[in-house]
């Protein structure tokens, strides 16, 4: 299994519209790449590891795919998703592709 982690780091002046993200962007994810997704999880940061510290990421999305072939298909269809990012945040997301062990 492959997981794409899309992470929106916290930072000064960072904005993020969670309502838009959940109700507009995530349905776009389903529309454009849902056919290759095995699952998806959205995590909203609430705290860091040390007591009283802030979460390093405002939001993280974990998108599960079955194979590297699914990842290729995901990439072919992800353009509209990336184009939508400015509609809900001014944060440039970090992305990582991982193999689940």
């Amino acid at each position: 299994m492959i997981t794409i982690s899309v992470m929106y780091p916290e930072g000064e002046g960072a904005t993020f519209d969670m309502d838009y993200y959940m109700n507009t962007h995530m349905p776009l994810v389903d529309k454009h790449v849902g056919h290759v997704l095995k699952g998806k999880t959205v995590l909203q940061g609430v705290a860091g590891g040390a007591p009283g510290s802030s979460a390093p990421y405002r939001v993280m999305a974990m998108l599960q795919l079955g194979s590297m072939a699914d990842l290729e298909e995901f990439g072919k269809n992800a353009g509209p998703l990336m184009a939508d990012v400015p509609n809900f945040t001014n944060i440039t997301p970090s992305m990582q592709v991982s193999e689940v062990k």
Side-chain angles (χ1 to χ4, degrees):
M1 182 166 301
I2 303 298
T3 296
I4 302 171
S5 302
V6 184
M7 301 164 288
Y8 298 88
E10 196 55 85
E12 187 174 331
T15 61
F16 196 98
D17 184 341
M18 183 59 93
D19 182 59
Y20 182 96
Y21 186 74
M22 295 302 296
N23 295 308
T24 303
H25 186 73
M26 292 312 286
L28 277 178
V29 169
D30 292 337
K31 177 182 177 182
H32 292 284
V33 297
H35 63 287
V36 294
L37 291 181
K38 302 296 183 199
K40 64 182 186 296
T41 303
V42 174
L43 307 168
Q44 185 173 17
V46 295
S53 66
S54 299
Y57 294 97
R58 175 82 55 105
V59 172
M60 295 186 296
M62 305 299 157
L63 309 173
Q64 293 83 36
L65 307 167
S67 67
M68 290 303 287
D70 289 343
L71 178 62
E72 288 181 34
E73 182 67 16
F74 180 98
K76 291 177 187 176
N77 294 286
L81 307 179
M82 297 308 295
D84 190 49
V85 171
N87 293 323
F88 60 87
T89 188
N90 62 356
I91 302 168
T92 300
S94 296
M95 296 178 67
Q96 177 170 307
V97 176
S98 304
E99 183 177 12
V100 178
K101 295 293 185 183

